[in-house]
Amino acid sequence: YVCGPRPFMDMVGELAAASGPALPVHREDFAALPAQAHAGDGTIEVELARSGSTVLVPPDRTIADVLIERGVALETSCEQGICGTCLTRVLAGVPDHRDEFLLEDEQNAGELILPCVSRAKTARLVLDL
């Protein structure tokens, strides 16, 4: 676990990566990374497995915003991808992780998403909601 200025945390991550077998590093950021424009973001279809409903999320909106607007019970807190409050299980589709919460191996597994900031690499996601 590491907390502190971003350059310090980056250095710890680099040292851990260079130490041979991957050492898990959990960062505690108190501010999100600056938002980056993602050319190619398109509208994604998000299916809610429990209700069977589907919503379309335009490129300029977050999954969380659209779901909450439609009355879906989704807790959020920081809405910056650093706290993990909105962590949601992915049942189908490939998340495009834009958070600072999940470890790299958790992101690679593709089983969880933080819908407050992340999107999809596929045209459709099915969430356990």
Side-chain angles (χ1 to χ4, degrees), residues 71-89:
V72 175
L74 178 68
E75 286 190 49
T76 61
S77 183
C78 74
E79 297 183 27
Q80 298 178 22
I82 58 176
C83 75
T85 300
C86 65
L87 191 64
T88 302
R89 184 161 304 285

Side-chain angles (χ1 to χ4, degrees), residues 9 12 15-16 18 20 22-23 41 43 46-47 49 60 62 74 77 92-93 96 99 108-110 119 125-126 128-129:
M9 292 191 298
V12 170
L15 289 171
L23 293 175
D41 279 353
T43 298
V46 177
E47 179 183 335
D60 63 335
T62 68
L74 178 68
S77 183
D96 181 5
D99 64 90
N108 291 338
R119 294 188 60 81
L125 282 178
V126 179
D128 188 17
L129 292 172

